[in-house]
């Protein structure tokens, strides 16, 4: 199972707090105590791919704050909700898929907003160009009819058909 990348919720680059949260600082015994479980359980979760701690140059497991929070989440799903590890794996897969879909949806929404703005600008440009070319339409029988208003009257005689 893949581990979450160090990005903000919207896919932005991580800031200093995210980097600190991802930095492996806890040895296995400390991480196990913080998560409320036995160190052997952390090894099992690592084998299953539920958690992927960083490694020191001497290959010691180093857990980050994010890892500890993920371990607490696993603990919650297994003990409080009664899930087995296969269920936990599926939950994590679905959550990651939802995050990917959310990022994609936000990207599509931004793209749709740009297209909408572009179409609006083009529509405005076309409307401005038509204002100079349009002539008010009057049906032929009304176009040359004498005005009923007082003032100058011009008689128009039409040939008979």
């Amino acid at each position: 199972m893949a581990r979450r990348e160090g990005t903000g919720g919207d896919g932005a680059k991580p800031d200093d707090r995210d980097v600190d949260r991802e930095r492996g600082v806890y040895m296995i015994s400390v991480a196990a105590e913080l998560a409320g479980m036995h160190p052997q359980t952390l090894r099992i979760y690592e084998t299953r791919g539920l958690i992927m701690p960083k490694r020191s140059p001497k290959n010691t497991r180093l857990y980050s704050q994010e890892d500890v929070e993920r371990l607490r989440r696993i603990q919650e799903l297994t003990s409080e909700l009664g899930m087995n590890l296969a269920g936990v794996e599926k939950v994590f897969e679905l959550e990651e898929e939802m995050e990917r879909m959310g990022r994609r949806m936000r990207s599509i929404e931004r793209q749709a907003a740009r297209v909408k703005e572009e179409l609006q600008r083009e529509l405005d440009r076309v409307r401005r160009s038509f204002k100079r070319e349009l002539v008010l339409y009057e049906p032929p029988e009304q176009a040359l009819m004498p005005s009923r208003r007082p003032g100058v009257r011009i008689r128009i005689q039409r040939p008979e058909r």
Side-chain angles (χ1 to χ4, degrees):
M1 164 146 324
R3 213 179 112 102
R4 281 188 233 170
E5 292 297 318
T7 60
D10 60 354
K13 291 185 180 179
D15 61 12
D16 290 340
R17 291 174 302 205
D18 289 336
V19 173
D20 288 343
R21 293 177 40 78
E22 293 176 1
R23 194 169 129 229
V25 292
Y26 304 119
M27 292 179 55
I28 193 166
S29 58
V30 175
E33 186 176 332
L34 289 172
M37 51 184 71
H38 194 276
Q40 186 60 35
T41 307
L42 274 65
R43 291 184 190 96
I44 292 169
Y45 291 168
E46 182 181 0
T47 303
R48 293 287 303 253
L50 292 171
I51 196 85
M52 291 182 218
K54 310 281 187 296
R55 295 286 182 154
S56 72
K58 293 184 178 182
N59 210 27
T60 303
R61 290 176 180 90
L62 293 175
Y63 293 86
S64 67
Q65 185 60 41
E66 278 188 355
D67 293 331
V68 171
E69 289 170 11
R70 188 170 174 97
L71 289 166
R72 287 178 181 151
R73 177 96 163 108
I74 295 168
Q75 181 80 355
E76 174 188 349
L77 292 171
T78 55
S79 35
E80 293 178 22
L81 299 178
M83 286 187 172
N84 60 18
L85 293 183
V88 172
E89 287 174 1
K90 195 63 175 174
V91 165
F92 286 161
E93 285 173 17
L94 292 172
E95 286 176 348
E96 288 174 10
E97 181 65 22
M98 285 178 55
E99 286 178 25
R100 278 192 301 275
M101 288 172 30
R103 284 191 302 271
R104 183 165 185 237
M105 190 170 75
R106 285 187 294 278
S107 171
I108 289 170
E109 286 172 344
R110 285 190 302 270
Q111 184 180 2
R114 285 191 302 269
V115 168
K116 182 179 178 184
E117 290 172 9
E118 184 180 325
L119 287 173
Q120 188 62 50
R121 284 192 303 270
E122 181 65 12
L123 184 60
D124 292 342
R125 185 192 68 75
V126 168
R127 283 184 179 148
R128 282 191 307 271
S129 73
F130 281 152
K131 285 185 180 175
R132 291 181 225 117
E133 299 169 7
L134 293 181
V135 176
L136 181 62
Y137 172 79
E138 292 183 14
E141 61 272 4
Q142 292 178 357
L144 299 175
M145 293 296 289
S147 174
R148 300 269 187 252
R149 288 181 264 145
V152 176
R153 288 187 168 193
I154 301 173
R155 276 193 181 263
I156 300 174
Q157 292 185 341
R158 295 182 187 198
E160 292 187 28
R161 294 181 214 193

